[in-house]
Amino acid sequence: MPSAPATPPATAKAPALNRAGLPLTAYRGLPSTLCSGCGHDAITNMIIRASFEMNLEPAQVAKLSGIGCSSKTAAYFLNQSHGFNGVHGRMAAIATGVNLANHTLLNIGVSGDGDTASIGLGQFLHMVRRNVRICYIIENNGVYGLTKGQFSATADKGSTLKRGEVNEMDPIDACALAIEMGCEYVARSFSGDQKQLLNLLKGAMRYDGTALVDVVSPCITFNNHEGSTKSYKFAKEREEALHDVTYVPDYEPFFADYDHGQTHTIDLPDGARIVLKKLDRDYDPSDRVRALELLSRARDEHLFLTGLIYHHKGGPKPLTKQKKLVAEPLATLPQSRTRPSREVLESIMDSLS
Amino acid sequence: MSAIAPTPTSIPAPSAHGAFPVPQPLLNDFVLTVATVNGSGSQSANAVLFRAIFQMGVPVSGKSIFPSNIQGLPTWYTLRVNKEGWIARRADVDLLVALNPESVAEDLRALPSGASVILHSDLKSMLKRDDLKVHIVPFGELVAQVCPEVRLRKLVSNMVYVGVVGWLLGIELEEIQKAIVQQFGKKSKAIELNRNAANLGYNWSAEHLQNDRMLQIRRMDANRGKILIEGNAACSLGFLFGGVTVVGWYPITPSSSVIDNLAALLSRYRHDPETGKATYAVVQAEDEIAAIGFVLGAGWAGARAMTATSGPGISLMAEMAGLAYFAEIPAVIVDVQRVGPSTGLPTRTGQQDILKAHFLSHGDCRHPLLIPADPKEAYEFAALSLDLAERLQTLVFLMSDLDLGMNLWSAPRFAYPEKPMDRGKVLSAADLERLKKFERYRDVDGDGIPYRTLPGTRHPLAGYFTRGTGHTPAATYSEKTADWTENLDRLAKKFRAAADLLPAPVVEVESKGDVGLIAYGTSDMAVKEALDLLRREDGDAPGYLRLRGVPFSDAVRRYLERHRIVHVVEQNRDAQLTTLLRMDFPEFASRLRPLLHYDGMPLDAKSVVQKLRQARA
């Protein structure tokens, strides 16, 4: 039985409820068992807050993860939701199956850089290519935590391990690959940039298709030293937001003055929007070549650019629409709809005799 | 070829071809082999021959021995006609249709003395024997007469041999025509072209060939109410009527046609009549790891999900198989067994995956196996596998093989499933409201099978966290040794409960003495024929129990108890099922005598007879 959410202290005021009638605490999970100060815990908190502010019904969410420190965090939020901690690098396939069985569920997938970019790279790319509906979060620290500090495939060229080893290879950039595979919503953020992350997560949760949020999330124990490009110090000093990101829910009025050449608006399903407000750079996230060019430069120059890197409608239809599924979840269709009639069998038998 | 060579003292079964001084005509009892080149289109011609004989009411079987390529390597198709209904493979050939220059020398050399040959006139020079009855046919000239389009001639010339064979064997031309229509369906041009070719072959033979009528088909009535179907197609039908909803797969011979057929059936019969929308999803994965991943995700979320593969695919699915076992997720894998690792002999048959499938993955785990012997069981067990997977909340294997899967079989018409689908122990929001408590892995009913909820169930108690790591009955994380062992013990209990849910073993032949025999899957037909032969010739044959699944029920224990010796016929080298029997029934281990066949060819009665006689001696 799932344990009940922690009861607030008796002195506290009645907690604020969201439109689903739930307090923020209803979106919490079990206490984290990660190292104190882990970037992943900050992301967990933003998932909880985003879920609360998005008025999600816990029963409509499936939490999915692979294996690794990041994947453990699926137990630390949305305790009332079903969760599935699968095998290493294979969350993408499991998410695909869940999506096919019940396309009314919102899949929130949590993975790591090892889980996604090393062992699970193939599945990740094929999931993106199919456009499976999922809010796919990579908690990216460039290192294997649970096995004590080996490089992952997202480690930057020239970055060093705590024990001194230098990475000679270029990193695998999940965002760039996702764009190549037709992903329509590709974001990068930093676990320490709470406001931006919160808004990008909301957009990803609302997205009808694969939405990727790659979050640099420092590993306090194995990758927070001088020479790391995934440390708090490096990220804080180098983060450059491409734009200011605001998620505007469907029930809030949308002000036309958002749109004065200084902003870029992205329509999400059911009337919600994301508004990107221009900062220093003049960046159009709907230009695929430009996005890839930007990521390539960021890699070569060790820039840490965050924001909605790419959004453009034009990928394949979401998988369950490609498959033209009935409106109800396949999982719970009654026998009357999944077993053809006796006459069908007889006609098939006639054709074979 | 076989595990044990025949002993010099063994008495060969009497056969008419050349062994006796006065040859007797073989009525409805002979073997015909067509030797062609893969990709030449002979498959349709062979199917027409099969169908025409079937339509004449005569028991017939067809075995395709084909190479692993699309075009260019030798392929053989063997039709066995037997009025008694013994249609297991028989190795001796009575009539050879020799069309392949690559294999003709060896094909002719291997024939028994007195056998008949239909020889392509281009291959005349390859004939070095004078003890064969040879019919030389100028296929090239004949096909040119009926097929002006040069590029189609290779295909159409196959139908010329159908006509020649038809005339020689006394197959009614009308039945051949009917079979052609059945084979080519609505393609009227193909029907006409092929009809003309068959007619020409038939008429030309009547004018130019000698027919001693020593090999003859005579009309019988043994096929009334029967259908013709491949095992893989039967399996697909089982999943259609079993209500499959999610299919994940990756192509691999010999399993691909399970899904190809299933996808075609689903697209025809499983769209909502009002909206036209699909009540199923079939997704081709990037590999077998993803395919089983789809199945696990879908099964966890409540779908009836399956995949089909063969040996190498099973290996790739190993990690997920363990997860399905420990996390208790319904899933079905069809394993159409073939020979060898990597590419191995991908177009040859066997039963070499029994142990691997049963124990697939790491850690302690055992998966139930369903083992069909014929198309009817392939159909029934496919539907049943979905029920069992949901009932037991575990991975269930359907262990087919290439012989069953890819060959055309005659079978009784399939029955409509009378029982409602079993969706297993699933709690709804209303159930949770009533119970006020839900623990995912608690053995509430004492059968080891817990209750589950599906994602999407709107109740605060519904959610739980599924993991491969150690967990308590309440699905919380645990590394306590007691929790681990208790969970393993409960899973073992659940596995034992499965024994009574699987199809019971069938006593095919009652034992007269204290010698019994166990076989499973496609060994069935050859074993039955072998036992019949032994009874008739030696007056003594063991009884026969056919197993249809693992785990073993109590009936298996009782069978071992009752017999001093139990032969176990298997199509693998290392006696895999015998190993399982010995593991589960150590007290009877010494009674079990494996009888093994692992050359990649379907089992034949003669080799079973030889081995049983040798064992008796």
Side-chain angles (χ1 to χ4, degrees), chain B residues 162-346:
Chain B
V162 171
V164 177
V165 169
W167 176 78
L168 205 60
L169 300 181
I171 302 172
E172 293 158 24
L173 190 54
E174 207 172 281
E175 296 295 355
I176 293 177
Q177 305 287 11
K178 222 167 97 184
I180 289 172
V181 172
Q182 184 90 357
Q183 181 67 26
F184 293 98
K186 294 194 175 93
K187 300 173 202 154
S188 57
K189 190 189 164 196
I191 290 174
E192 200 197 324
L193 207 53
N194 283 291
R195 270 183 158 176
N196 292 343
N199 284 349
L200 181 67
Y202 198 95
N203 295 331
W204 181 90
S205 303
E207 266 179 55
H208 297 88
L209 298 182
Q210 294 285 323
N211 195 348
D212 61 4
R213 305 203 178 276
M214 293 302 279
L215 303 173
Q216 287 291 290
I217 302 276
R218 292 276 169 80
R219 192 169 273 282
M220 288 174 62
D221 192 18
N223 296 332
R224 189 178 290 268
K226 286 198 175 154
I227 58 166
L228 286 185
I229 192 164
E230 289 168 1
N232 281 354
C235 198
S236 315
L237 276 173
F239 286 111
L240 173 72
F241 286 92
V244 73
T245 46
V246 174
V247 179
W249 75 297
Y250 186 75
I252 179 172
T253 304
S255 73
S256 307
S257 60
V258 171
I259 308 296
D260 280 337
N261 282 313
L262 179 56
L265 288 167
L266 289 167
S267 92
R268 172 136 189 218
Y269 297 112
R270 285 277 298 277
H271 284 261
D272 189 282
E274 278 164 33
T275 61
K277 300 280 180 139
T279 61
Y280 67 93
V282 180
V283 179
Q284 184 180 324
E286 58 272 27
D287 57 27
E288 286 91 344
I289 303 174
I292 188 67
F294 297 172
V295 171
L296 258 60
W300 177 77
R304 280 161 89 86
M306 60 80 61
T307 186
T309 187
S310 192
I314 297 291
S315 305
L316 289 174
M317 293 178 181
E319 189 180 19
M320 290 276 195
L323 181 67
Y325 180 81
F326 280 98
E328 302 185 56
I329 298 166
V332 172
I333 299 176
V334 178
D335 180 2
V336 187
Q337 297 169 89
R338 67 182 217 192
V339 176
S342 176
T343 318
L345 293 176

